[in-house]
Amino acid sequence: MKAETDFDALVGRLATRAATLATAWAASRRRAARQDDRRWRHAGLIWPLFAKG
């Protein structure tokens, strides 16, 4: 049995996840700087990697 991995696809998925996390982190930091407590009610900022719906 031979295992084969498509590393280009893996890198693409990891880059997408990293970009999603970075965007959520930046939005959360902006809201924290404004002392906006709604950031704790926004699911996309709390769990950015989980699917919605």
Side-chain angles (χ1 to χ4, degrees):
M1 184 188 233
K2 182 180 177 183
E4 193 171 304
T5 304
D6 184 6
F7 288 107
D8 291 333
L10 175 63
V11 168
R13 288 191 309 270
L14 290 175
T16 300
R17 291 176 71 123
T20 301
L21 285 173
T23 301
W25 182 84
S28 181
R29 292 289 86 204
R30 280 192 305 272
R31 289 179 184 220
R34 293 189 310 232
Q35 297 178 350
D36 183 358
D37 289 333
R38 289 180 298 162
R39 72 183 185 273
W40 298 113
R41 294 183 197 105
H42 193 277
L45 297 178
I46 298 170
W47 303 290
L49 297 179
F50 291 94
K52 295 167 184 72

